[in-house]
Amino acid sequence: MGKGGSVSDGVLKKIILSYTYVAIWIFLSFTVIVYNKYILDKKMYNWPFPISLTMIHMSFCASLAFLLIRVFRLVDPVSISRDLYLSSVLPIGALYSLSLWLSNSAYIYLSVSFIQMLKALMPVAVYSIGVMLKKDHYKNDTMLNMLSISLGVAVAAYGEARFDTWGVLLQLGAVAFEATRLVMIQILLTSKGISLNPITSLYYVAPCCLLFLSVPWLFVEYPVLKEVSSFRFDFVIFGTNSLCAFALNLAVFLLVGKTSALTMNVAGVVKDWLLIAFSWSVIKDTVTPINLFGYGLAFLGVGYYNHAKLKAMKAKEAQKKVAQGGDGGDEEAGRLLEEREGDGSGKRNEQQNKD
């Protein structure tokens, strides 16, 4: 009886911890998105410089990662050769910088709620790019699912009260670059057996982002900032904003590492609905019935996509256990497979500070 009670207590503790990880990630992701919107929106803090904001994030994250790895030695470094850095990390950093730049820029033109609706296209982008790069197999039923998601987003866009063509193009570009980055991570890093946690990822990727972002910054934003003589760097605003972005990276690692990438995808759906409700009730963005109907269609499509991924993951995990005689070591292999499969839904990263 006592043994049964201890098992029940252990299961209950695991459930509570899982919900805690989900709550932390939702809170931080929610905070970063709303905070970035507040800083960039001309009607709020009125600092419409998305490249500069992204570079501040990257500088903060790179510096903190360097301190944790090289100075305080709280995180073990991952050895990466020069050739691997140039062939894998550098292009991933370039894609990441473009994704962050464009997604942050979209907050100047679009509402928080509509941006979350457009982000539902991430599975479509990941699957399409995966098929083009021969990382995924084309299936008629999956493509039909992708078309249903696209249709839902199109209906939501049709009903958008503050539709801005340039803002939509920026967000779609951000989705495309982020989807390409996810596929490239699978091709270039996971295929070579390299695993990077958020600290080591920022240690290697953040300097790349700074390098690539410095080029458009010099031509697009630096001349304007130089003319704004009244601007003073607000350490409280930008410091806390960057700290939230860094904390979000840690929350992503904690959530996926302690639960699964699929759990994060489901939590992302909850976060999107909360953001839409917040955007409508607090920020006073207009959310039309057509918006909600279209996003509802896309939401059902994304839900079915995640369900199909879960079934496929469980089937493959079962096959591995049968092939290896049900060895307990398959648990780790199943987790790795689940994370790779789950990455395709694109709900993680918003990650990260791009939100």
Side-chain angles (χ1 to χ4, degrees):
M1 189 73 175
K3 184 177 180 181
S6 63
V7 172
S8 299
D9 291 342
V11 171
L12 180 61
K13 183 179 179 181
K14 186 175 181 179
I15 292 173
I16 293 174
L17 284 176
S18 296
Y19 277 107
T20 302
Y21 300 141
V22 168
I24 291 172
W25 178 79
I26 289 178
F27 172 76
L28 288 172
S29 182
F30 187 100
T31 302
V32 169
I33 290 173
V34 174
Y35 211 158
N36 285 357
K37 174 67 175 177
Y38 167 76
I39 291 174
L40 294 167
D41 198 299
K42 295 179 181 179
K43 296 179 181 179
M44 299 181 188
Y45 189 75
N46 191 25
W47 200 70
F49 301 103
I51 305 177
S52 300
L53 181 63
T54 307
M55 291 180 72
I56 291 171
H57 288 173
M58 290 295 100
S59 299
F60 182 89
C61 291
S63 300
L64 201 50
F66 178 83
L67 290 173
L68 292 174
I69 293 175
R70 295 299 180 186
V71 179
F72 300 110
R73 301 187 183 279
L74 297 177
V75 180
D76 294 329
V78 176
S79 179
I80 295 182
S81 66
R82 181 174 177 272
D83 290 340
L84 183 61
Y85 186 86
L86 294 175
S87 64
S88 300
V89 177
L90 205 62
I92 289 172
L95 291 167
Y96 192 35
S97 64
L98 289 169
S99 172
L100 293 172
W101 171 19
L102 297 183
S103 62
N104 280 333
S105 299
Y107 284 108
I108 299 175
Y109 305 95
L110 302 176
S111 67
V112 171
S113 58
F114 187 43
I115 286 177
Q116 301 313 120
M117 295 177 189
L118 290 174
K119 285 180 181 180
L121 287 171
M122 185 62 74
V124 180
V126 171
Y127 178 72
S128 301
I129 293 171
V131 170
M132 286 190 294
L133 297 180
K134 297 182 179 179
K135 182 64 181 176
D136 211 337
H137 300 291
Y138 175 84
K139 296 179 181 178
N140 289 329
D141 57 342
T142 304
M143 182 53 68
L144 185 62
N145 183 202
M146 298 298 104
L147 290 175
S148 70
I149 296 174
S150 302
L151 175 63
V153 174
V155 172
Y158 177 78
E160 174 59 23
R162 284 184 53 201
F163 186 90
D164 186 282
T165 303
W166 180 240
V168 170
L169 290 176
L170 287 171
Q171 185 57 46
L172 292 180
V175 169
F177 284 122
E178 177 64 9
T180 306
R181 184 181 76 93
L182 292 174
V183 176
M184 292 287 284
I185 287 175
Q186 294 183 47
I187 294 175
L188 298 178
L189 294 183
T190 57
S191 62
K192 297 178 182 179
I194 297 176
S195 178
L196 299 176
N197 63 47
I199 306 297
T200 51
S201 295
L202 291 171
Y203 178 77
Y204 288 111
V205 174
C208 296
C209 291
L210 281 172
L211 176 64
F212 286 111
L213 288 170
S214 64
V215 177
W217 180 78
L218 284 172
F219 292 99
V220 177
E221 293 187 1
Y222 175 68
V224 181
L225 284 168
K226 192 167 59 172
E227 296 296 325
V228 184
S229 57
S230 61
F231 171 72
R232 291 183 180 180
F233 189 85
D234 192 327
F235 284 96
V236 175
I237 291 292
F238 294 105
T240 53
N241 179 243
S242 298
L243 186 61
C244 288
F246 183 82
L248 179 58
N249 281 278
L250 300 183
V252 170
F253 177 68
L254 185 67
L255 180 60
V256 176
K258 299 297 184 180
T259 57
S260 70
L262 191 63
T263 300
M264 184 176 173
N265 299 335
V266 176
V269 173
V270 176
K271 180 208 69 178
D272 289 344
W273 281 110
L274 288 175
L275 278 167
I276 291 172
F278 179 85
S279 177
W280 169 73
S281 61
V282 179
I283 304 179
K284 302 302 180 183
D285 286 332
T286 302
V287 180
T288 67
I290 299 178
N291 272 147
L292 295 177
F293 176 72
Y295 184 65
L297 291 177
F299 162 73
L300 292 175
V302 172
Y304 178 80
Y305 176 78
N306 287 333
H307 174 70
K309 282 290 186 181
L310 178 61
K311 287 181 63 178
M313 181 276 296
K314 286 184 175 179
K316 289 181 181 180
E317 187 176 354
Q319 290 176 359
K320 281 180 175 288
K321 287 184 177 181
V322 171
Q324 297 183 11
D327 190 276
D330 281 38
E331 182 178 351
E332 183 62 28
R335 177 177 292 280
L336 177 59
L337 176 63
E338 184 178 357
E339 291 182 11
R340 293 185 183 180
E341 292 290 335
D343 278 345
S345 70
K347 291 292 182 183
R348 81 272 121 302
N349 208 306
E350 106 200 264
Q351 31 10 24
Q352 303 177 35
N353 54 340
K354 104 182 164 57
D355 285 346

